[in-house]
């Protein structure tokens, strides 16, 4: 058995179901010691010239982000998950770096807790988000309520600013990355 931290498209229930995570236990959490950013070259999502970034995390003391803890996964699922996340390196995260997003305890876990960490050669800080991927992540965050989505907006970064700040700045433009069109 293993557990995985989902912080991007797998926040979205439909995306989790599409990849076979519909029968697992999911808990909203906060992960300490990492910063989440749209700065990863995609491995399999459709690309555009500059708006192609997907999410990644990097270790950063004092930073944190909200996510979902997907628990109780069978070991035979690990190879397919590694293939889906092929642009990332799977690392173990200590239980002590997790806390519940909402009140209440974290579940008791069996097995390691994995986080997919962007490969350095896939990192590109000049990219903007893939619009459809950003919308998928935003809708997934909203499935857990406005408070969870607000935390996603303020604990996720694009080109050095929060997603909220970035999208607010872009709302005066008539493009896909408009806050009013995403939320």
């Amino acid at each position: 058995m293993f557990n995985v931290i989902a912080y991007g498209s797998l926040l979205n229930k439909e995306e989790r179901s599409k990849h076979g995570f519909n029968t697992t236990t999911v808990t909203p959490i906060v992960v300490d010691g990492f910063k989440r950013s749209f700065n990863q070259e995609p491995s399999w999502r459709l690309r555009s010239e500059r708006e192609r970034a997907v999410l990644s995390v990097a270790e950063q003391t004092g930073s944190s982000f909200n996510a979902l803890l997907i628990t109780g996964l069978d070991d035979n699922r690990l190879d397919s998950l590694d293939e889906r996340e092929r642009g990332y390196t799977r690392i173990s995260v200590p239980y002590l770096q997790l806390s519940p997003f909402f009140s209440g305890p974290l579940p008791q876990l069996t097995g390691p807790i994995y986080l997919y960490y962007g490969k350095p050669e896939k990192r590109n800080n000049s990219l903007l988000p893939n619009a459809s991927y950003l919308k998928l992540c935003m809708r997934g965050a909203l499935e857990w309520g406005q408070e969870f989505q607000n935390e996603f907006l303020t604990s996720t970064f694009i080109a050095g600013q929060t997603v909220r700040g970035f999208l607010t700045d872009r709302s005066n433009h008539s493009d896909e990355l408009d806050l009013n069109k995403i939320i």
Side-chain angles (χ1 to χ4, degrees):
M1 301 285 279
F2 71 96
N3 312 280
V4 69
I5 297 168
Y7 60 85
S9 59
L10 290 176
L11 294 174
N12 188 290
K13 184 178 182 176
E14 194 172 297
E15 189 76 1
R16 286 193 312 276
S17 293
K18 186 166 74 172
H19 293 282
F21 296 116
N22 50 343
T23 60
T24 55
T25 302
V26 179
T27 304
I29 60 168
V30 174
V31 182
D32 292 320
F34 291 90
K35 180 180 179 180
R36 175 175 49 202
S37 300
F38 279 97
N39 65 357
Q40 175 88 358
E41 291 280 359
S43 293
W44 56 272
R45 291 189 186 276
L46 296 176
R47 317 172 130 214
S48 75
E49 184 60 31
R50 187 161 177 234
E51 295 179 352
R52 64 180 188 264
V54 293
L55 285 168
S56 183
V57 295
E59 290 185 75
Q60 185 168 315
T61 303
S63 290
S64 64
F65 66 91
N66 60 330
L68 298 178
L69 179 62
I70 303 173
T71 59
L73 297 169
D74 290 326
D75 289 334
N76 63 3
R77 303 281 318 278
L78 198 51
D79 288 341
S80 64
L81 188 56
D82 283 347
E83 174 58 25
R84 180 186 189 277
E85 306 296 343
R86 61 187 167 271
Y88 299 82
T89 300
R90 177 172 30 97
I91 62 171
S92 292
V93 175
Y95 187 78
L96 293 175
Q97 282 185 250
L98 309 182
S99 57
F101 183 81
F102 299 111
S103 61
L106 287 174
Q108 294 297 317
L109 302 179
T110 302
I113 303 164
Y114 293 129
L115 173 70
Y116 285 87
Y117 186 93
K119 292 180 179 177
E121 65 270 17
K122 303 275 285 177
R123 194 161 291 137
N124 183 342
N125 291 318
S126 68
L127 296 178
L128 296 178
N130 172 315
S132 62
Y133 174 80
L134 173 58
K135 290 174 187 177
L136 185 69
C137 296
M138 292 290 298
R139 288 183 188 125
L142 187 57
E143 289 171 8
W144 296 93
Q146 193 65 54
E147 181 183 358
F148 193 88
Q149 187 186 58
N150 285 338
E151 181 63 23
F152 180 90
L153 288 166
T154 58
S155 68
T156 307
F157 293 83
I158 301 169
Q161 67 184 104
T162 66
V163 170
R164 179 178 299 286
F166 176 83
L167 294 175
T168 299
D169 289 350
R170 305 267 310 195
S171 65
N172 295 325
H173 300 78
S174 59
D175 63 13
E176 284 191 87
L177 295 177
D178 180 335
L179 181 65
N180 298 316
K181 293 179 183 176
I182 292 174
I183 298 179

